[in-house]
Amino acid sequence: MADGAGVPDYPTALGASSRETITLLGQDLARDVMGQVSFGELAFWLATQRRPEPGEVRVFEAVLAALADHGFTPTAIVTRLTYLSAPDSVQGALAAGLLGGGSRFLGVTEDCGRFLHEVLTGLDGNPPVDEAGWDELALSTVQAARERRRLIPGLGHHVHKDGDPRTPALFRIAREEHRFGPHLSLFAAIGRVHPHVLGRTLPLNGAGTCGAALADLGLPLELLRGFALLARTAGLIGQLAEELRHPVANEIFLSVDQNNRAVPPEPTAEPARPRTEA
């Protein structure tokens, strides 16, 4: 945009600075935000440009806590190894870990939220009114996914085979704050009915539950993975802090380096030769 004099104009409701003040979301940063607003509340506010209610903040911050750290996951290991290789680049180590937030780790949060929202969008604003209705919808959803050989995001966990402890905690907090909306309702129903279709019981994992909870808060689906990365950033800083105190990255590196095994090459199929015209 440009004003009448042709000077570029870039409107923003986020941060802006003058010589004397800094404003953020229409507030005076130093007076109205610092020491007055928690970081979780601010992150929500920045994404939605509306100040969240206390119940929304509690659910949102519970999600951030659920996703902050989950042990020696690939994201944690690569952060430590990158720091071992480049201790002068903390930002590189953090970035390396965050880049691993994909379909198997962290990205499930967004994938599950989108999956549930896709199903709910097909209801034309007429969601079920009771548990039996949700179970019926969930059953048809699981059956359709199986027919299409489509995995249901958020179903199953490589460690918590008997149940992810984060899931019931998030369900409880959302109910306590009256934020247990249609996405969580459908996800909970999927947890109840899927054994009838799949023939086995899989846990509803915490990352998927987080996606359902964030979607029920009305946060943009396109940003759900961003919130997971926001949470994991705190966890990766913790991983680096522990690496400084009790380093293990070099042992991880040497464990692989000193135990590699040479094998004969396995050539791939030859590429197709370009056809020549006669």
Side-chain angles (χ1 to χ4, degrees), residues 64-248:
L64 296 182
L67 296 174
D69 187 78
H70 204 54
F72 280 111
T73 59
T75 59
I77 293 171
V78 74
T79 289
R80 290 190 185 229
L81 289 175
T82 303
Y83 186 74
L84 172 68
S85 180
D88 52 315
S89 179
V90 171
Q91 70 274 21
L94 290 174
L98 295 177
L99 287 171
S103 59
R104 292 188 177 180
F105 293 88
L106 292 178
V108 175
T109 297
E110 178 182 325
D111 296 342
C112 186
R114 285 180 176 273
F115 175 84
L116 298 170
H117 194 73
E118 179 182 321
V119 175
L120 294 169
T121 299
L123 301 178
D124 296 323
N126 296 304
V129 296
D130 56 21
E131 186 172 291
W134 284 112
D135 285 358
E136 182 180 353
L137 175 61
L139 187 61
S140 64
T141 298
V142 177
Q143 289 171 335
R146 182 164 190 177
E147 290 171 1
R148 299 172 187 168
R149 299 182 180 275
R150 181 181 181 184
L151 295 176
I152 297 176
L155 194 57
H157 196 283
H158 68 290
V159 174
H160 304 301
K161 305 292 187 182
D162 301 317
D164 190 323
R166 297 171 295 177
T167 296
L170 285 167
F171 281 174
R172 173 182 55 79
I173 293 168
R175 286 193 173 100
E176 289 174 353
E177 300 299 337
H178 306 288
R179 303 294 169 181
F180 201 95
H183 297 85
L184 282 169
S185 295
L186 176 56
F187 195 50
I190 288 173
R192 292 191 296 269
V193 308
H194 78 269
H196 302 301
V197 179
L198 305 184
R200 57 179 177 149
T201 300
L202 298 171
L204 298 177
N205 63 53
T209 309
C210 287
L214 292 174
D216 273 345
L217 290 176
L219 293 164
L221 297 177
E222 299 84 355
L223 298 182
L224 297 192
R225 188 175 303 190
F227 296 119
L229 295 174
L230 171 66
R232 188 53 56 92
T233 298
L236 295 179
I237 291 173
Q239 291 284 338
L240 288 176
E242 187 173 79
E243 182 67 20
L244 290 171
R245 297 191 301 271
H246 305 292
V248 298

